[in-house]
Amino acid sequence: ALPDGDGVIAAAIAAAAIFLYPQAPPFGAVVGRLLLQPDDAVGSAHGEARFRLLEDGLSIETVHGSLYLRNVAETNIEAVHGNLMARQIAGDLKAATIHGNAIVRDIQGDCLLEDVQGNLDLRDVDGDVRVNSQGNARVRLSAISGSQFSLEAEGNIHCRLPEDGLLHQHLAHRSQ
């Protein structure tokens, strides 16, 4: 029974939601699906983590594997020790460190990815964009609606930006 009807079982809404306990389970195995209260924080996920169809904000400390987000609300991430795949985020997406590649699409807020240590594929953000990639970056925006757009990449940059956007460009190359 749910306490006062406040809880939401994400797995009942979406078939592929996996949540892990904040502490490491025995042998690092997936424990199973957990009940999340509104605005819950997830500690450490030891392995792959998937979140779907969550209407409340999500705060994730560390994922020791890849992280998959789809149709979730505002999300804050400290570290992902794998790849990040995020689609249809209803709010801001903020991540401090992604140790793999990041594929991010359809963000209905700001997108702040401080340190993507692999390649970046970014499409359609409704707010500000501030990203830093140590690999290649591919960006496609159908509109620039935020007040800031900042993209830094140590590899190649491929951008497709709208023609009617008011954008001041500053291109620089750091030589070794």
Side-chain angles (χ1 to χ4, degrees):
L2 298 176
D4 300 328
D6 291 335
V8 175
I9 299 177
I13 299 171
I18 299 174
F19 306 101
L20 305 176
Y21 286 108
Q23 291 80 28
F27 311 109
V30 173
V31 175
R33 297 176 178 155
L34 295 179
L35 173 69
L36 286 183
Q37 300 296 330
D39 296 316
D40 265 354
V42 176
S44 293
H46 295 270
E48 177 181 287
R50 295 176 182 264
F51 297 89
R52 286 184 72 178
L53 298 171
L54 296 175
E55 295 178 359
D56 294 309
L58 186 59
S59 180
I60 301 170
E61 287 181 21
T62 305
V63 176
H64 296 281
S66 294
L67 173 61
Y68 301 89
L69 303 170
R70 185 165 182 186
N71 289 325
V72 298
E74 177 175 326
T75 303
N76 293 303
I77 305 163
E78 285 298 318
V80 176
H81 295 275
N83 298 324
L84 169 67
M85 277 69 71
R87 288 181 52 188
Q88 300 167 329
I89 308 298
D92 298 343
L93 175 63
K94 298 176 183 175
T97 305
I98 309 297
H99 289 277
N101 299 323
I103 300 171
V104 178
R105 296 199 169 110
D106 301 322
I107 308 300
Q108 298 171 1
D110 297 342
C111 182
L112 171 60
L113 304 177
E114 294 177 21
D115 184 18
V116 177
Q117 296 181 359
N119 297 324
L120 170 71
D121 186 343
L122 177 67
R123 296 184 187 189
D124 295 326
V125 176
D126 289 344
D128 294 348
V129 174
R130 292 186 313 269
V131 295
N132 185 347
S133 174
Q134 292 183 23
N136 299 322
R138 182 171 62 175
V139 176
R140 183 187 305 175
L141 301 176
S142 57
I144 296 179
S145 56
S147 62
Q148 293 184 349
F149 178 87
S150 173
L151 167 64
E152 293 184 25
E154 293 184 22
N156 298 322
I157 297 176
H158 180 262
C159 286
R160 183 178 294 172
L161 303 174
E163 293 179 16
D164 61 346
L166 299 174
L167 183 65
H168 297 283
Q169 298 178 14
H170 171 73
L171 301 175
H173 179 270
R174 287 187 233 167
S175 60
Q176 295 184 1

